[in-house]
Amino acid sequence: MTDTTDTTATGAKSTTAGAAGTAGAAQAATGSALVPVQGAARPGPAPGHRPPGLLERLGSAAFERINRTREWHELPTTLGLLNLSVLRGDLRRKNLHDTFGAGGERTRRPTAELAPYRSYDGSGYDPYDEDMGRVGTRLDRNAPLHLVFPDSDAELMAPSPREISRQLLARRGFVPAPTLNLLAAAWIQFENHGWANHGDNEEAEPFTVPLAEDDDWARTGGSCPMRVNRTRPDPVAHTGPDAPPTYENTVTHWWDGSQIYGSDEARCRSLRTGEYGKLRVEDGRLPADPRPGMECLDATGMNSDYWTGLSLLHTLFAKEHNAICDHLRGHHPTWADERLFHTARLVNTALMAKIHTVEWTPGILDTPVLKRGMDANWYGMLPRWVSRKYGRIGKGEMLSGILGSPTDHHAAPFSMTEEFVSAYRLHPLIPDEVTVRDHASGSARKTIGFNDMQGATTRTSVDEFGMSDLLYTFGTAHPGALVLHNHPDGLRNLARLTGEHIDLGTVDILRDRERGIPRYNAYRQMLRKRPVSSFEELTGGHPGDTALIRELYEGRLDRVDTLVGNLAEPRPAGFGFSDSLFRIFILMASRRLKSDRFFTTDYRPEVYTAEGLEWVDRNTMVTVLLRHHPELGPALAGVTNAFAPWRSA
């Protein structure tokens, strides 16, 4: 899911500060100092934006004609894969827009020395831009900048985001996603917390959201009037009013496991034991956050919007980090704490990225074309035994996948984007209640509501039921389907640690409008998808809502919110969300790998060790679960994707 108005307490650093994160990652390894392992790979001169070649132009033109009448998912498998490849190339060229140029620019400086380990704050990844992807740098855009100017405050409330939440999002009855388990819902929030967060804004005057006369918000614990904090503004002032607003990321942009490790050195070191590279895990649990008022949460890199599902995954992958440390130490007994830690972090992060790419994504987008496409992202089109025996074949992505291929940022420097943040408004996945079951017998122990396992009750729920029963429960329970009228009540009246209540459905709608996410039809067009021509076409997935949506939006198709359109849109068979939304994923999923030198030029044994690369290659989410919870073996017997329903005891 996505951030609302809060953030972790890591604290964003100004991009004008020294690159302490990189320096910290380049100190102390084989006795006392981390040294480049046979040198970190450094590309040649800074690459420019390469224009498309003849074959790319011909392919783009051909599929543009084909897609006027048949979408990629309506084509035969091989042709559909080729269509997706061409579409991804078009998106890479036309839907990566740098907010550099929007005003108040930071200085771009080269990286003095490429360290062989991930830095604490995300700096030092790119040889030509030391701060690319660093905590405290801007979120960029998939939409052209001229499309991302937000409306006035009055227009932001038309139609009322609260009425959209009440009439189109509110759960009328739980609609399950039968091909997934609840672990899939927890996973995406776990990953998203390592990618982007906007931070808190306690200073600006909040939005006041209009309430209808029959609205029961005040009677259910909410403040009256309803007030929603604005997004924290970019602290670097703009140079003029003709530039769209920009926002900073308070975590690193990279796929670096920062939700576990934190986005600054002080936070990271507070989570470590200082011995053998390990993270602090006590009696199989993460320790409690020691900060006043936060003791109900785990001590981890990012614990905002925390609940039991996140606690399970943060703990599991902290234990996986420690298992990797033990494995590496067995092969490299002279390595000191710092080198063991940084190498284990590389391996653990790559394993999480692999799980997300070839397990979670094909789980929620359950089609043969997508399964082959995501496997190709990671492994390439050749059989896996070829790579294992002969290594990479060529430099391109097609035969051997992205891993180990040359780094490429495509049309803009790497960063997370506002449209990508918006794509993860997947809150219908959360159920309002869960029946906790015994992992050995399958018998019901207790049915609890969402508020019984989030925020102030997070650690107490884990204490009460234990990791094994909770993992089994999450593995056998279904999340909600990503459709209209399925947004959980527990999130539409969410009690925060601060004591305030928020309607996350209202916040979701308002955030997109405030941050200039194009409305639904403009969103489709900017992603090279034909706009819908009627409300009937829009609601093909929810035909009973045609009249209601037309009335709420006063007959204006151009005002329909992207979140509403994506939930209402008919979707390809097996897809958990819309094809329009999927186009952001197909672009950004591969970009997070392709821009990161630790997945490209530095994905090699000199950096990861041969043992580390084999650990990534040989493991899956199922093997991770069984390593730390072998008692779940019967439930996972025969399960090939841990995000699909497990066997019931």
Side-chain angles (χ1 to χ4, degrees), residues 342-389:
H342 284 293
T343 308
R345 176 178 180 171
L346 282 168
V347 174
N348 201 26
T349 296
L351 178 56
M352 288 188 285
K354 175 192 172 185
I355 289 169
H356 186 83
T357 301
V358 303
E359 297 182 63
W360 184 87
T361 303
I364 200 168
L365 302 171
D366 187 15
T367 69
V369 174
L370 241 293
K371 172 62 177 170
R372 289 182 62 182
M374 298 312 292
D375 280 354
N377 259 6
W378 193 264
Y379 301 112
M381 299 297 290
L382 293 175
R384 291 178 63 186
W385 67 264
V386 174
S387 297
R388 285 175 173 170
K389 186 172 183 178

Side-chain angles (χ1 to χ4, degrees), residues 233-254:
D234 191 334
V236 179
H238 290 158
T239 57
D242 57 340
T246 58
Y247 305 98
E248 281 191 351
N249 195 355
T250 65
V251 299
T252 67
H253 295 255
W254 303 103

Side-chain angles (χ1 to χ4, degrees), residues 14-303:
S14 167
T15 58
T16 60
T22 300
Q27 300 295 317
T30 55
S32 62
L34 273 181
V35 293
V37 184
Q38 295 188 11
R42 175 179 286 274
H49 178 35
R50 180 182 64 84
L54 176 61
L55 287 179
E56 291 172 302
R57 295 197 303 272
L58 290 175
S60 181
F63 279 108
E64 182 181 8
R65 289 181 64 87
I66 293 171
N67 295 155
R68 291 173 189 171
T69 55
R70 298 184 70 186
E71 296 281 9
W72 65 267
H73 52 85
E74 298 171 323
L75 301 173
T77 299
T78 301
L79 198 58
L81 277 170
L82 184 57
N83 195 162
L84 283 181
S85 178
V86 169
L87 176 59
R88 184 178 68 177
D90 287 343
L91 293 168
R92 283 173 167 178
R93 289 189 296 272
K94 302 174 184 178
N95 287 92
L96 295 173
H97 298 281
D98 188 6
T99 51
F100 188 89
E105 308 311 340
R106 64 179 173 86
T107 300
R108 297 199 171 178
R109 57 194 179 185
T111 302
E113 181 180 14
L114 294 179
Y117 299 97
R118 294 185 182 275
S119 62
Y120 294 106
D121 65 357
S123 61
Y125 279 57
D126 184 81
Y128 312 103
D129 184 355
E130 183 176 32
D131 293 319
M132 184 190 295
R134 185 178 180 168
V135 60
T137 53
R138 287 177 179 168
L139 294 142
D140 287 332
R141 308 300 303 222
N142 297 124
L145 297 190
H146 72 273
L147 291 181
V148 302
F149 286 85
D151 294 331
S152 66
D153 278 12
E155 291 173 315
L156 290 178
M157 300 300 164
S160 166
R162 170 65 175 173
E163 284 305 291
I164 300 298
S165 175
R166 292 179 69 205
Q167 299 195 47
L168 292 178
L169 303 185
R171 182 166 280 159
R172 293 177 176 176
F174 181 66
V175 180
T179 62
L180 294 171
N181 63 32
L182 188 53
L183 207 59
W187 176 270
I188 191 54
Q189 189 180 16
F190 170 64
E191 289 295 288
N192 190 44
H193 273 188
W195 299 332
N197 192 278
H198 284 78
D200 279 328
N201 184 5
E202 303 292 346
E203 299 176 3
E205 177 66 18
F207 290 112
T208 298
V209 180
L211 302 177
E213 290 185 4
D214 63 344
D215 197 323
D216 62 354
W217 177 246
R219 293 192 297 276
T220 57
S223 63
C224 190
M226 178 185 283
R227 295 168 72 81
V228 175
N229 282 353
R230 297 172 189 265
T231 301
R232 173 179 169 268
D234 191 334
V236 179
H238 290 158
T239 57
D242 57 340
T246 58
Y247 305 98
E248 281 191 351
N249 195 355
T250 65
V251 299
T252 67
H253 295 255
W254 303 103
W255 207 345
D256 60 359
S258 57
Q259 75 272 33
I260 295 173
Y261 302 107
S263 291
D264 66 81
E265 183 169 356
R267 181 66 171 264
C268 186
R269 290 199 180 278
S270 75
L271 304 172
R272 294 166 56 180
T273 65
E275 295 183 318
Y276 308 125
K278 292 189 175 184
L279 295 171
R280 293 169 56 211
V281 178
E282 301 167 357
D283 298 323
R285 293 279 307 281
L286 288 172
D289 192 321
R291 294 171 296 174
M294 306 287 280
E295 299 87 352
C296 54
L297 309 178
D298 296 332
T300 187
M302 169 68 153
N303 60 11

Side-chain angles (χ1 to χ4, degrees), residues 526-538:
M526 68 101 174
L527 294 171
R528 266 153 298 289
K529 193 172 175 69
R530 182 182 57 79
V532 296
S533 58
S534 67
F535 281 95
E536 287 75 15
E537 183 182 359
L538 166 72

Side-chain angles (χ1 to χ4, degrees), residues 326-561:
D326 288 337
H327 183 68
L328 292 171
R329 187 167 171 244
H331 289 272
H332 305 278
T334 63
W335 281 12
D337 172 70
E338 196 77 356
R339 187 165 186 178
L340 284 168
F341 169 79
H342 284 293
T343 308
R345 176 178 180 171
L346 282 168
V347 174
N348 201 26
T349 296
L351 178 56
M352 288 188 285
K354 175 192 172 185
I355 289 169
H356 186 83
T357 301
V358 303
E359 297 182 63
W360 184 87
T361 303
I364 200 168
L365 302 171
D366 187 15
T367 69
V369 174
L370 241 293
K371 172 62 177 170
R372 289 182 62 182
M374 298 312 292
D375 280 354
N377 259 6
W378 193 264
Y379 301 112
M381 299 297 290
L382 293 175
R384 291 178 63 186
W385 67 264
V386 174
S387 297
R388 285 175 173 170
K389 186 172 183 178
Y390 299 107
R392 284 194 59 82
I393 306 298
K395 292 185 177 181
E397 301 172 35
M398 182 173 293
L399 295 180
S400 297
I402 291 175
L403 298 185
S405 69
T407 306
D408 192 344
H409 303 311
H410 307 297
F414 175 76
S415 71
M416 287 294 134
T417 64
E418 294 291 354
E419 288 74 19
F420 187 64
V421 171
S422 171
Y424 282 103
R425 302 196 190 285
L426 306 179
H427 295 119
L429 290 169
I430 299 296
D432 279 303
E433 62 179 28
V434 173
T435 299
V436 180
R437 298 187 179 276
D438 182 274
H439 74 277
S441 67
S443 60
R445 292 183 58 184
K446 185 178 181 181
T447 297
I448 58 175
F450 183 70
N451 278 329
D452 298 319
M453 54 179 172
Q454 71 89 22
T457 60
T458 300
R459 285 181 63 84
T460 56
S461 66
V462 178
D463 289 338
E464 179 178 358
F465 300 111
M467 299 282 291
S468 300
D469 284 1
L470 286 170
L471 283 168
Y472 173 79
T473 297
F474 275 59
T476 54
H478 293 303
L482 293 166
V483 294
L484 293 175
H485 310 299
N486 206 29
H487 205 291
D489 294 335
L491 294 183
R492 292 188 59 255
N493 192 350
L494 178 65
R496 311 293 294 281
L497 284 178
T498 59
E500 68 171 327
H501 287 239
I502 62 168
D503 172 8
L504 204 49
T506 295
V507 172
D508 282 350
I509 294 293
L510 186 54
R511 284 287 174 259
D512 278 359
R513 295 179 185 178
E514 177 196 14
R515 295 171 186 167
I517 302 299
R519 303 266 181 146
Y520 177 65
N521 250 347
Y523 181 89
R524 286 173 62 106
Q525 285 181 285
M526 68 101 174
L527 294 171
R528 266 153 298 289
K529 193 172 175 69
R530 182 182 57 79
V532 296
S533 58
S534 67
F535 281 95
E536 287 75 15
E537 183 182 359
L538 166 72
T539 56
H542 287 263
D545 288 313
T546 305
L548 175 59
I549 294 177
R550 180 186 288 115
E551 179 184 358
L552 281 169
Y553 288 97
E554 298 180 340
R556 292 189 59 182
L557 267 175
D558 65 310
R559 299 296 289 171
V560 173
D561 292 284

